[in-house]
Every structure is written in C-alpha cells, then in structure tokens.
Amino acid sequence: MSSSGSQPSIFSRIIAREIPATIVAETEHIIAFLDIAPKAPVHVVVTTKDPQYQNVVELAAGNSALLAELVAVAEQIAAERTNGQFRLVFNTGAAAGQTVFHVHAHVMGSPELTDHLGEDSLGTL
Ligand code: AMP
C-alpha cells in the first residue's frame, strides 16, 4: 500500500508484472529496469519492491539498510553497463522532477569512456 493511499504506482504494477518492463536486476527487495524514456546511453531505474517510501529521504529515515541495498544494486548495474562513472539521481519532489512517488534511483551513464553526460540530462529527467 502506498503511503499516499492512492492507486498502486506504475512501478508497483511493473513489480507485479501487470505491465511490461525490461528488468535488468532483481533481488528479494529491489528491482531494476530500463527507463522507458532514457536520458542517457545507459538509463536504469532502481526501486524498492516495498512501495511505502515515497522518496529517498523517507527511505533513509525508515530503512537505511534497504537504501544501502538499493545503492549496491545500482553500483552493480553501473559496473556491468557503464564505463564505471555514472550519475545516481533521486528526484525528490515534483518541483525537482519527481513524477513517480515510489522511491527510485536513476542510474545514468555511458559504456564509452569518451562519453560525457551533458548537464541537460540532469534537468530533463
Ligand atoms: P522521476 O521523474 O524521477 O519520478 O522518474 C520516473 C521515471 O520513470 C521517468 O524517468 C520515466 O521515464 C520512468 N518510467 C515511467 N513509466 C515507466 C515504465 N512503464 N517503464 C519504465 N520506466 C518508466
């Protein structure tokens, strides 16, 4: 149940396999899938299966071990798919660009050592 008391988030529906996504990693508590509208050559969403935390601040306060697990999965994805340098972005609040209120990180990077992410990839998430 979402802490907002509203309908299940789009991510909960992906976790329940009600809507399709390209899942790239999954653990007991965490799932990761390709972003449907990528803003970087590698753009993966990493989220908790537990929908109760709306953002990273709530997750850090409520279950810091789960936040650490999310970051570890994100790092593993970056190690597999990027040149090892990447952004880990948690949009927090609508004014900051958050559209899905089910805590998640964006892993953004490039497999190529020569590629650099532009500043615009931060502003258009
Ligand atoms: P945010 O704007 O930080 O809340 O991030 C939500 C992200 O979820 C956006 O980058 C969307 O492109 C992505 N997204 C929304 N729906 C889907 C979907 N069905 N499959 C994969 N990614 C999605």
Side-chain angles (χ1 to χ4, degrees):
M1 177 108 153
S2 158
S3 59
S4 66
S6 57
Q7 297 290 315
S9 74
I10 189 110
F11 295 165
S12 288
R13 298 187 65 207
I14 289 172
I15 292 161
R17 271 58 172 184
E18 291 173 5
I19 61 173
T22 303
I23 294 167
V24 300
E26 185 168 14
T27 69
E28 184 181 354
H29 303 295
I30 302 292
I31 193 165
F33 46 87
L34 300 185
D35 196 291
I36 202 168
K39 304 297 191 300
V42 175
H43 188 170
V44 177
V45 173
V46 188
T47 190
T48 57
K49 291 183 178 177
D50 182 346
Q52 74 174 290
Y53 306 106
Q54 292 200 7
N55 59 55
V56 68
V57 175
E58 288 187 7
L59 178 59
N63 190 339
S64 58
L66 185 57
L67 174 58
E69 188 177 339
L70 187 156
V71 172
V73 172
E75 194 281 330
Q76 182 189 343
I77 290 163
E80 291 169 359
R81 293 174 176 261
T82 77
N83 58 25
Q85 299 180 34
F86 61 96
R87 286 191 179 136
L88 188 61
V89 175
F90 291 88
N91 290 330
T92 306
Q98 188 174 7
T99 58
V100 180
F101 293 86
H102 176 151
V103 62
H104 58 280
H106 299 258
V107 178
M108 304 173 73
S110 172
E112 307 302 329
L113 270 171
T114 49
D115 279 357
H116 291 261
L117 297 180
E119 287 301 315
D120 58 343
S121 68
L122 276 178
T124 57
L125 270 179

